Amino acid sequence: MNPTEPTIQLPGGWSTLSPSVDWTYYFIYWMSVVLFVGIIGAALYFVWKYERSKHPKSEPTGHNLPLEVGWTVAPVIFLALIFHWGFEQYVSMTSPPADTLDIRVRGRKWSWDFEYPNGGHSPELHVPVGRAVRLLISSEDVLHAFFIPVFRVKRDAVPGMYGTLWFRATRTGRAPFYCAEYCGAAGNTPAQDGSYAGHFNMRGEITIQTMQEYLTFEESLLGPHPGESTADWGQRMYRENQCFTCHSTDGTRMAGPSWRGLFGRQERMSDGNGVTVEENYLRQSILDPSARVVEGFQPVMPTYRGTLNDRQIDAIIAYIRTLH
Amino acid sequence: MATDVAVTDQGHGHELDPNLNYLQAGRGVLSWLVTLDHKRIGVMYLISVLTAFFMGGVFALLVRLELLFQGRTIMGPETYNRAFTLHGAIMVFLFIIPSVPAALGNFVLPMMLGAKDVAFPRLNLLSFYIYVVGAIFALYSIISGGVDTGWTFYTPYSTGTNGSVVSMTLGVFILGFSSILTGLNFLVTMHKLRAPGLHWRRMPLFLWGMYATSIMQVLATPVLAITLLLLAVERTFGLGIFDPALGGDPVLFQHFFWFYSHPAVYIMIVPGMAIVSELFATFTRRAIFGYFAVAMSSLGLALLGFIVWGHHMFTSGQSEFATMAFSALTMLVAIPSGVKVFNWTATLYKGSIWLTTPMLYALAFLVQFTIGGLTGLFCGTLSVDIHLHDTYFIVAHFHYVMMGGTVFGFLGGLLYWWPKITGKLYDERLAKVSWFFVFVGFNATFLVQFIMGSQGMPRRYFDYLPEFGRYHAFSTVGSWILGLGFLIMAWVLVKSLRSGPPSPPNPWGSAGYEWQSASPPIVLNFPEVPTITRGPYDYHLATEEELFDGFPEDRAKK
């Protein structure tokens, strides 16, 4: 199967399934064009021909049973055909081969987390070309949907339930993926960089690369980049896990406390107790965020247990320590 | 009210001269607020739904304006989410569902039957006040913080989000009862109050559409009521029904919701089709081709409406077998829809076509409903829908059906029956100008959204990738043309009310039964109970002049 070029109507088709889906799409499209031109053409011709100045007296035509039965029954043939193709392709879409590379996809307001077979996590989706990849999708809060237009696949992320989709990419490159099920927004106030968080920003780019490149990427997930200090790695975790959605680093108050000057500060908790912010409090706030919430903030943060490993949490704490 | 009132005058202000027209009989606000006259209740509904349409339209324009440029244009994402939610909820629950049945239907349905009123006039007034109470709840939820769930209220988002979800769902819950009562009233009226000689095969197609709609209203709306009640219980008392965190199932909500809301889609479109059938008959001066098939196709749609809800859930994780069955059943919807489109087109053949503004709306309906219907084939086909699901393609598809279909049908019907309702003519030339802007604006707004959607632009997005910029800008400019068209239309109606010339009883020369009354009609609709001796589309029985003056055989009876 060769990848297809984008057209006015459809983006490029980059999976083994996309050509057949596109064929069905265009079949329905051209069938619709023919029907539309036929029906509306006839209607406009009649309007022109039988306009009342030209045709002052109507002539009732009575019934025409063969015609009426004809246009009731004839569409059934086409309907059965497109149903059949659609269903056949749907069966292929929902029946992955046995030897898939499985990537775990978790949706949460408003980012995706991808967990690779080696246990590494990333907000980036990388997949090898030519290999059947299966995404095991779930949600940690509300409904989301994972949508990759170039592969023509989409599946809802439902809390408490796994959804799957699979594809085999036919070319390398980068293409957008989206959240397609409405899931809200983080309010009307933009983050430091002027961006907003919400359903519309729960998107990114899938990177399709050779198996060699993919394996290198997967390996890199488990530690800092070469030459990266622990605090820099922590800063990268801050960015990649989109902590900036709720925590500023310049003192701006957002949905969560700013990280500027946080380390070592005395904070009052919502239960009235005082806490000095140190390693154990930060670790608890990442793994069990609702346990001790700073007064004046809502317990809205999701847990990062299972998303961040111990070394990554250490790196984030190291980064927070640098923000005086 | 005294207990010795004669039964025939029941509910019509027996102290008044029944030969007065319904607008003059009884003065003052109170005479309207406690009226039992179906015509006055229809007018009150009409004012209400037009107000709702205006509000929903303002939200639509705001949503489109926000999308004019990438990034923030006029509002933040949270406000945007509230704007599109209110646009959808207001348009669906406060405008489209009651627009044709409760507003126009209330006015013309008894007149088409040759009846004095609906079967239960008090119930009719009650349904109006239930509508008002429901609307107040909906308005309260707008003022008290708004709702950002989308009109679909999907759980668990709707269980957890801030805002006035409970008051909005209670509003919709209450509105549902108004809809049920109207449906029930219409069913009984059509069964029991048909004039002598008006057997089922002589029923105007508008009434067949109302019949199908009423069945759906009565049978489907209770399911929505139960669903919303369960949602409110979950939000208020933390009882786990739909939220998995509480042990519930979010997909169950979707099943419940669409079990109502798919029939609701047909509650919206079938009345539009019903009006268009009347318009085609009147303005082609001939019987609708395949009358029986068109009548039965309304009932067919009502039936199919109950068994296709799962096609809203192809990506949700329902079983593959259910998905297959729903796709196959959905394909069947094309058959009654096709029957209607083919029969309307055939009705134009050898007609004598009068291109009035209502007829232009009917023709626009034909064009746009055909597009809306054909694009439904993409959505019903499983593999293709997986790609298109929850994109702008869906947004465009249902706007072509709901707005290009129902709203155009409603506007056509509004202008068509306007002289009957108000007793005044409107400026046809200006009305045609407004039709032109509405038609061009609508298609400019939504045609381009099909391309956006098939290219992969998801719906309910506050912001978008740069490649979608030109499509969004085009669509927004289209919405301004559309808005301009509606402004001119509003001016046409206001001008007609203020200074429109008085309308003759039958300005369109229609053979429809409702036109055989005075304009505006007298309190009891007809001076005496009419005996129906001909069909509603028997144009061949009269000359063009006779159509305007009254059918020969109708006059012979007087």
Side-chain angles (χ1 to χ4, degrees):
Chain A
M1 295 286 177
N2 292 322
T4 55
E5 290 301 310
T7 62
I8 295 275
Q9 295 189 54
L10 290 171
W14 293 9
S15 77
T16 48
L17 294 171
S18 65
S20 56
V21 175
D22 292 3
W23 196 87
T24 310
Y25 178 95
Y26 278 111
F27 180 84
I28 303 173
Y29 173 73
W30 285 111
M31 187 177 81
S32 301
V33 168
V34 169
L35 273 167
F36 181 80
V37 170
I39 294 167
I40 302 307
L44 290 178
Y45 173 72
F46 293 153
V47 168
W48 170 78
K49 176 138 192 233
Y50 300 111
E51 203 275 319
R52 98 178 169 148
S53 59
K54 294 181 204 143
H55 196 246
K57 184 68 188 164
S58 67
E59 302 159 59
T61 46
H63 289 281
N64 189 332
L65 197 63
L67 188 61
E68 287 191 58
V69 171
W71 66 41
T72 309
V73 175
V76 176
I77 300 163
F78 288 97
L79 293 171
L81 203 58
I82 60 174
F83 163 74
H84 171 72
W85 287 329
F87 180 57
E88 199 175 40
Q89 289 152 11
Y90 179 73
V91 169
S92 313
M93 281 180 183
T94 48
S95 315
D99 61 334
T100 51
L101 185 149
D102 289 2
I103 298 174
R104 185 76 175 80
V105 180
R106 291 185 183 87
R108 69 161 84 92
K109 291 176 184 173
W110 292 275
S111 59
W112 296 100
D113 172 65
F114 302 97
E115 185 182 326
Y116 291 85
N118 68 359
H121 284 266
S122 172
E124 286 182 30
L125 178 57
H126 288 236
V127 297
V129 67
R131 174 83 194 266
V133 175
R134 191 173 75 118
L135 304 184
L136 190 63
I137 303 162
S138 69
S139 164
E140 292 176 3
D141 39 43
V142 300
L143 297 178
H144 304 281
F146 197 69
F147 175 29
I148 314 171
V150 289
F151 295 156
R152 314 286 188 261
V153 291
K154 183 183 291 123
R155 183 70 179 196
D156 284 13
V158 182
M161 193 176 135
Y162 299 118
T164 59
L165 59 80
W166 80 277
F167 51 83
R168 194 193 296 269
T170 50
R171 57 160 280 186
T172 57
R174 288 165 72 83
F177 64 77
Y178 302 94
C179 175
E181 184 67 64
Y182 172 70
C183 55
N188 284 328
T189 321
Q192 276 169 277
D193 61 354
S195 73
Y196 294 93
H199 172 49
F200 54 92
N201 250 352
M202 201 171 155
R203 56 178 165 82
E205 274 194 322
I206 180 172
T207 305
I208 307 151
Q209 49 199 177
T210 63
M211 183 53 99
Q212 199 53 49
E213 290 165 334
Y214 165 76
L215 290 174
T216 310
F217 165 78
E218 196 185 343
E219 198 50 42
S220 74
L221 294 175
L222 296 180
H225 288 167
E228 197 175 37
S229 74
T230 308
D232 287 348
W233 181 26
Q235 186 175 17
R236 182 158 60 84
M237 292 287 116
Y238 170 79
R239 210 170 48 241
E240 289 181 358
N241 288 285
Q242 302 187 11
C243 308
F244 55 77
T245 310
C246 302
H247 300 282
S248 75
T249 54
D250 64 353
T252 311
R253 185 191 161 99
M254 297 169 69
S258 173
W259 287 1
R260 161 95 26 208
L262 182 63
F263 196 88
R265 197 157 65 201
Q266 284 281 337
E267 292 276 30
R268 231 174 111 83
M269 297 295 115
S270 50
D271 60 7
N273 293 328
V275 161
T276 306
V277 176
E278 39 66 81
E279 283 86 350
N280 273 316
Y281 174 72
L282 289 174
R283 182 183 164 79
Q284 185 188 36
S285 295
I286 292 169
L287 295 177
D288 188 7
S290 305
R292 289 188 289 173
V293 179
V294 176
E295 191 172 42
F297 291 93
Q298 295 297 314
V300 291
M301 179 168 155
T303 177
Y304 282 77
R305 194 184 296 279
T307 308
L308 295 173
N309 62 31
D310 279 355
R311 286 183 62 199
Q312 291 165 325
I313 292 171
D314 292 348
I316 287 174
I317 293 173
Y319 171 56
I320 293 174
R321 292 193 66 161
T322 64
L323 298 166
H324 304 298
Chain B
M1 195 173 281
T3 48
D4 59 349
V5 176
V7 176
T8 48
D9 281 351
Q10 193 172 22
H12 287 96
H14 56 283
E15 70 282 4
L16 296 164
D17 180 357
N19 291 320
L20 278 177
N21 85 46
Y22 83 101
L23 292 170
Q24 288 161 355
R27 302 220 164 252
V29 175
L30 195 65
S31 78
W32 281 86
L33 293 182
V34 298
T35 183
L36 298 181
D37 184 342
H38 69 97
K39 297 182 288 300
R40 285 189 164 204
I41 295 172
V43 170
M44 292 197 290
Y45 259 121
L46 188 59
I47 294 166
S48 312
V49 299
L50 288 176
T51 311
F53 184 51
F54 173 76
M55 283 169 50
V58 169
F59 282 117
L61 288 173
L62 290 175
V63 164
R64 280 296 351 145
L65 186 56
E66 171 51 44
L67 294 169
L68 177 59
F69 302 117
Q70 249 193 299
R72 184 188 173 116
T73 309
I74 53 163
M75 59 177 101
E78 195 170 87
T79 312
Y80 172 83
N81 291 345
R82 291 185 176 172
F84 79 67
T85 299
L86 292 173
H87 162 67
I90 290 174
M91 286 299 194
V92 169
F93 297 111
L94 289 174
F95 170 61
I96 302 190
I97 289 180
S99 67
V100 179
L104 296 177
N106 238 320
F107 197 97
V108 298
L109 177 133
M111 300 185 64
M112 282 185 168
L113 290 168
K116 293 190 188 75
D117 207 315
V118 291
F120 307 117
R122 284 191 175 77
L123 201 61
N124 200 14
L125 185 65
L126 178 65
S127 97
F128 174 73
Y129 281 111
I130 293 176
Y131 171 87
V132 171
V133 172
I136 288 170
F137 270 91
L139 286 178
Y140 169 78
S141 58
I142 297 174
I143 301 162
S144 66
V147 185
D148 69 341
T149 59
W151 78 280
T152 46
F153 305 113
Y154 268 18
T155 54
Y157 186 78
S158 56
T159 314
T161 185
N162 294 322
S164 313
V165 177
V166 169
S167 61
M168 185 53 117
T169 47
L170 276 181
V172 173
F173 176 79
I174 295 166
L175 288 167
F177 284 95
S178 161
S179 183
I180 294 169
L181 294 184
T182 302
L184 192 68
N185 214 340
F186 284 7
L187 283 177
V188 177
T189 308
M190 280 183 273
H191 272 277
K192 304 304 287 182
L193 296 187
R194 301 195 309 280
L198 181 50
H199 47 74
W200 290 98
R201 281 196 170 232
R202 276 184 182 160
M203 275 228 304
L205 286 165
F206 179 74
L207 297 187
W208 276 111
M210 285 296 106
Y211 193 86
T213 306
S214 300
I215 291 176
M216 291 187 281
Q217 286 179 308
V218 170
L219 293 182
T221 318
V223 179
L224 177 72
I226 295 163
T227 312
L228 295 176
L229 207 58
L230 290 174
L231 174 61
V233 165
E234 181 169 274
R235 254 189 89 100
T236 317
F237 303 115
L239 196 65
I241 297 158
F242 305 123
D243 185 352
L246 302 168
D249 180 357
V251 181
L252 179 68
F253 178 86
Q254 298 177 33
H255 279 292
F256 279 178
F257 181 82
W258 289 113
F259 187 85
Y260 163 73
S261 293
H262 197 80
V265 172
Y266 296 171
I267 289 174
M268 297 183 243
I269 185 63
V270 170
M273 296 167 159
I275 288 182
V276 166
S277 294
E278 294 299 314
L279 298 178
F280 269 105
T282 296
F283 297 111
T284 60
R285 295 285 189 255
R286 54 160 292 180
I288 292 287
F289 187 86
Y291 163 89
F292 187 67
V294 174
M296 289 305 114
S297 64
S298 291
L299 293 178
L301 283 172
L303 177 73
L304 288 173
F306 281 101
I307 51 175
V308 296
W309 78 88
H311 71 211
H312 297 271
M313 300 167 60
F314 284 164
T315 68
S316 72
Q318 66 181 359
S319 91
E320 274 78 21
F321 287 104
T323 301
M324 174 191 73
F326 282 122
S327 171
L329 290 166
T330 300
M331 292 295 167
L332 297 180
V333 174
I335 295 167
S337 310
V339 163
K340 282 192 192 285
V341 166
F342 293 137
N343 280 295
W344 288 327
T345 308
T347 302
L348 295 168
Y349 176 66
K350 292 198 175 174
S352 173
I353 296 161
W354 187 8
L355 289 174
T356 60
T357 318
M359 184 59 175
L360 290 176
Y361 275 106
L363 290 169
F365 179 106
L366 186 69
V367 172
Q368 287 151 188
F369 179 73
T370 302
I371 294 176
L374 290 170
T375 51
L377 296 176
F378 294 81
C379 309
T381 305
L382 277 173
S383 59
V384 178
D385 179 73
I386 297 297
H387 177 62
L388 299 174
H389 200 84
D390 272 320
T391 66
Y392 266 76
F393 191 94
I394 305 295
V395 176
H397 161 67
F398 72 71
H399 277 92
Y400 261 86
V401 178
M402 298 287 91
M403 179 157 191
T406 307
V407 175
F408 273 65
F410 170 76
L411 295 173
L414 179 64
L415 290 174
Y416 174 60
W417 285 307
W418 183 263
K420 182 60 56 191
I421 295 170
T422 63
K424 293 186 171 176
L425 297 174
Y426 62 86
D427 183 341
E428 261 287 290
R429 205 179 50 86
L430 204 55
K432 280 182 180 151
V433 172
S434 84
W435 171 86
F436 176 80
F437 283 110
V438 172
F439 178 72
V440 171
F442 169 78
N443 286 287
T445 307
F446 291 104
L447 205 53
V448 71
Q449 293 187 5
F450 283 117
I451 300 173
M452 257 197 264
S454 60
Q455 284 288 359
M457 168 84 207
R459 63 191 286 204
R460 296 175 167 177
Y461 263 36
F462 163 75
D463 199 4
Y464 45 83
L465 294 176
E467 57 258 41
F468 297 111
R470 56 193 171 134
Y471 300 125
H472 274 292
F474 192 90
S475 181
T476 299
V477 172
S479 74
W480 297 338
I481 302 173
L482 185 56
L484 177 67
F486 281 123
L487 270 183
I488 305 173
M489 171 108 173
W491 172 240
V492 169
L493 299 183
V494 169
K495 197 173 114 178
S496 162
L497 283 179
R498 283 172 48 179
S499 59
S503 166
N506 194 354
W508 310 117
S510 170
Y513 307 136
E514 77 276 22
W515 291 103
Q516 315 308 319
S517 63
S519 292
I522 60 171
V523 175
L524 297 179
N525 297 342
F526 303 97
E528 55 195 69
V529 178
T531 306
I532 308 294
T533 54
R534 59 172 179 85
Y537 310 122
D538 283 347
Y539 287 91
H540 58 284
L541 298 178
T543 65
E544 187 68 16
E545 292 70 39
E546 286 168 341
L547 283 176
F548 288 90
D549 300 338
F551 263 58
E553 50 178 307
D554 291 350
R555 264 182 303 173
K557 278 178 286 176
K558 282 174 189 163

